[in-house]
Every structure is written in structure tokens, then in C-alpha cells.
Amino acid sequence: MRNPKIVFIGAGSVVFTHGLLADLLAHPELRQARIALHDIDPERLETAEAVARRIAAARGAAPEVSATLDRRAALDGADFVINMIQVGGHAATVADFEIPARYGLRQTIADTIGVGGVFRALRTFPVLDALAADIRAVCPDALLLNYTNPMAMNVWYLASRVRNVVGLCHSVYWTMHDLAALVGVPYEEVTYLAAGVNHQAWVLRFEREGADLYERLDAKIAADPELRRRVRVEMYRRLGHYPTETSEHSSEYVPWLLRHDAEIERLRIPVGAYVGISEENVREYKRTRDAVRTGGELPVEGTGEYAPQIIHSVVTGVPRVVYGNVVNDGLIANLPSGCVVEVPCAVDATGVRPTRVGALPSQCAALNRAYVSVNELTVRAAEEGRPEHVRHALMADPNTAATLSLDAIWRMCDDLTRAHGDLLPEPLRATLTS
């Protein structure tokens, strides 16, 4: 494949676009790629284009860079589509935290399951519908690489609408990178296997030259009481397998922690953390915009993300293994067929091929099935136009169900429905309590 066309949807997420382009253009074989940038915000799109040209110059690359507010024009003839939209932006994120907080419901990141994950998905689905329609019309064979959260719900929704979609997240890579550092072994010497669902997969094997590195981890935890004040260390101690997402994330996918003041203090859980992260993302965008406008310094730093690796492997045939979020077609035996799971995937010139993992440990699968239930009900709510399924999803959500009464769940959903208004699918804009 010569000079592939790579389309960035939501390119106005400038900092993320910056990192992905730095990785892509570090590969000699991709330095003349056709890069098409799309966003609905003219200022952000202009900034993204300027950043792309600065990075290309710094890399000594000569890509063909274009930027357009017309999504279908950007997609025309695409080989690869990278989706990283956030529907509703910072204001919607604030609503996802502030409204549940009035009911006493605590969240940390709110982008995966739970109230924040469900309503983020419902805001995103209408845009995914339109994106999928454009892909079918002008680039039906393109490989869609999704970064937008909630990952599992979005990939589940897209899987019936486009031919080729893989969801990408860096959580497995960074978990293993950090675990290797914790036990004092170079990452390059570690072999591992992880599987489960996005943000709640499990490290099933953690070894160096056949030796189990979990033994070293156990020794570190026993020697350091501060390590035992991390949510995912606590989960590992109780469940026997280390979860692949941060403690902040992990705390809100289970029923045992956020409702208890003592557990929040013991495990140092940062309630409401993502509001601050979202505010910093806005500030970082403004710093990048201003640097571009004034000719200021713009570091060219890679991210190690999977999308550039996948594109390079498909274009060149160089084999790699990455972790992807894909439809469960017998990949994990004790999770429901048709749900979206996170497993290792082989990548080469033939594309992305998920690996069959078999059955997860029963206790890990049990937690994953609760997560999958929220995913399924949210997707069904949109596909069937049933607003009651939105409430059912949160009745099934571990943290929400452990904290709120049924009446509070339904009233909270009504408040969020009113807050997000026209961003939601039209059949789901109804309120269900008087």
C-alpha cells in the first residue's frame, strides 16, 4: 500500500493528534502518507493542521496534509480512519459529574460504565451513526481505529455498522510497563498475557524467561504498606490477577468502594478526578494553539499508541502484537458472545487478527459480566429506542446500584436527559418520572 490515506476524525483533540502524528511520521514508510484532518470546530481544526505541518517538518517528512470541516470529503478514499471525538466537550463532562453528585453518587473518571459512561455513549452514538454512514459510502474497506470512550460500548455499536473496526487503548501497555518497573525488570524482558474488557482486563501471565513475576510483585506489596493503599493492588490481592487500568478507573467499576468514606480515604481514591483532567486538557489545547500562532516551541514527542503501529504493520507487513477491543466471537469463552472484549491481536499486511484466549478465571469473568451488562443495555437502549433501558443499565451498574435507590436512579437519569438534550438520540430524550 503506497502512501496510505489516514483520516483523523476529531482532529481538534490537538494534543492527541500531535502525539499520533509524531509516531506515524517517525516511520520512514509513512512519511509521504496522505493525512486528512476533520473537526467540527474551525479554530481547533486550523490548529491541528498547523501542528501537523510543524511535526512533518521536524520529522523530515513530506505528507500530503489536508484539513476540512466536511467529514465525508475527509473520508473519501480513506485506508485508515482514526476516531477520537468527544461529543459535548468539557461542558458535558461537568454535567456528568455534577448531576450525579447531587444524588450522592461518586465518580472518578466517568468514561467507561456508570452514569458518565452511559451518557457519554448515548451522546456519541448519533455521531457514530453518521460516521459509519459516510464510511460505508466512500471508504467501506477502511480500517476504523476507535479511541473514543466508552470504548466497549462504542465498538459494540459500530460493529454492526462498518466492516472493520478495532478499539484501541493504552491501558494494557502502560500497566505492564509500570509493573515491570515495580518489580525491577526491563519491560523488554517481560512476557505477558492480558484479557478481559476495556479498562477491566486482567494480567493472566506475567513472566520473565518462564519465571513468574507475580512472586516478585507479592514481595513488593508485602514490604510496602503504601502499595496496599492502591485500589488495583487491593483488587489483585483479593482476586489473584492484576487489573489493567488505573486505580481511579478501577474504583468505579465495582460496588465496594466509592460509597464508603473510609475506603475512599484508605485507598486514596480521587473522587471527581476527571473534571480536573478535562480542564487541563482545555488549557493544554490553548497552550498548543498559542505556540503555533506565535511560532513558539512545539515538542515532537511520540506516544507509543497502537494506531501508528497497526498502520505501519498493515502497510509494510511487519508483524506486531497489540491489544485491541473487538467483538467476542469465541475469543473469551466465559463472556457473552457478541460483547466487546480486549485481547491480544496479531497485525500484519493481512490486517488485525484477534487471539482466542479461552476462559478467564471465574472471579474475573464475573466482574466482567457485570460490566458487559451495562454495555449491552446501553447499546440496546439506542438501537431499540427504549429510554427505560438507560435506567436499566444504571440499575445494573455496580457503583450506581450500590449507592442509589431505584427512584433516585430514575430521577437522576431524567435530570441528565434534560441536561444533554439534543445530543442524545431522539427516542431517548423522554423523561420517565413525574
Side-chain angles (χ1 to χ4, degrees), residues 254-270:
V254 295
W256 324 301
L257 302 176
L258 285 169
R259 62 176 295 192
H260 300 293
D261 292 343
E263 291 293 78
I264 289 171
E265 181 178 358
R266 178 176 75 92
L267 296 170
R268 299 172 294 188
I269 301 173

Side-chain angles (χ1 to χ4, degrees), residues 9 13 34 81 93 95 106 108 140 157 177 189 240 250 254-255 261 300 326 328 401 406:
I9 302 295
S13 302
R34 294 169 290 155
V81 179
T93 294
R106 293 158 168 161
T108 52
Y157 193 78
H177 185 277
E189 297 179 16
S250 295
V254 295
D261 292 343
V300 180
V326 293
N328 187 32
L406 291 172

Side-chain angles (χ1 to χ4, degrees), residues 26-174:
H27 294 293
E29 300 89 347
L30 300 177
R31 288 180 182 166
Q32 292 184 312
R34 294 169 290 155
I35 305 295
L37 307 173
H38 165 72
D39 203 90
I40 61 172
D41 183 316
E43 181 195 275
R44 281 180 170 265
L45 183 61
E46 180 183 4
T47 302
E49 182 180 9
V51 166
R53 297 188 185 281
R54 289 274 294 270
I55 292 170
R59 289 288 197 216
E64 178 187 316
V65 177
S66 62
T68 178
L69 296 167
D70 185 331
R71 182 180 55 224
R72 185 167 289 198
L75 288 166
D76 192 15
D79 299 296
F80 303 95
V81 179
I82 302 174
N83 179 49
M84 47 192 177
I85 61 173
Q86 183 182 350
V87 179
H90 177 67
T93 294
V94 171
D96 283 345
F97 277 89
E98 289 187 346
I99 291 171
R102 293 176 201 154
Y103 287 84
L105 182 61
R106 293 158 168 161
Q107 300 175 97
T108 52
I109 306 297
D111 70 353
T112 304
I113 56 173
V115 179
V118 167
F119 276 88
R120 184 181 283 233
L122 297 176
R123 295 194 302 273
T124 305
F125 289 165
V127 183
L128 296 184
D129 269 326
L131 172 61
D134 286 347
I135 289 173
R136 292 194 302 271
V138 299
C139 56
D141 295 321
L143 176 57
L144 175 55
L145 302 172
N146 180 70
Y147 276 106
T148 297
N149 284 318
M151 179 64 68
M153 295 189 212
N154 288 338
V155 173
W156 194 329
Y157 193 78
L158 283 164
S160 63
R161 289 165 170 77
V162 297
R163 290 180 187 170
N164 304 307
V165 59
V166 179
L168 302 177
C169 177
H170 51 220
S171 61
V172 172
Y173 169 78
W174 282 113

Side-chain angles (χ1 to χ4, degrees), residues 344-365:
C345 299
V347 192
D348 58 23
T350 65
V352 180
R353 298 186 307 283
T355 300
R356 292 181 186 274
V357 176
L360 297 176
S362 297
Q363 69 277 18
C364 298

Side-chain angles (χ1 to χ4, degrees), residues 372-399:
V372 167
S373 293
V374 180
N375 290 179
E376 179 181 13
L377 286 161
T378 305
V379 172
R380 284 185 177 275
E383 291 188 329
E384 299 172 11
R386 296 180 60 179
E388 70 272 22
H389 272 346
V390 178
R391 283 79 179 161
H392 298 156
L394 292 171
M395 288 164 61
D397 176 68
N399 180 43

Side-chain angles (χ1 to χ4, degrees), residues 10-18 41 43-44 47 84-86 89-91 93-94 97 108-109 111 120 147 149 170 249 272-290:
S13 302
V14 170
V15 176
F16 199 46
T17 298
H18 179 169
D41 183 316
E43 181 195 275
R44 281 180 170 265
T47 302
M84 47 192 177
I85 61 173
Q86 183 182 350
H90 177 67
T93 294
V94 171
F97 277 89
T108 52
I109 306 297
D111 70 353
R120 184 181 283 233
Y147 276 106
N149 284 318
H170 51 220
H249 275 281
Y274 191 75
V275 173
I277 294 169
S278 180
E279 291 168 348
E280 176 55 27
N281 288 342
V282 173
R283 290 191 291 268
E284 182 65 17
Y285 160 70
K286 291 179 179 178
R287 287 192 290 267
T288 301
R289 178 201 61 193
D290 294 345

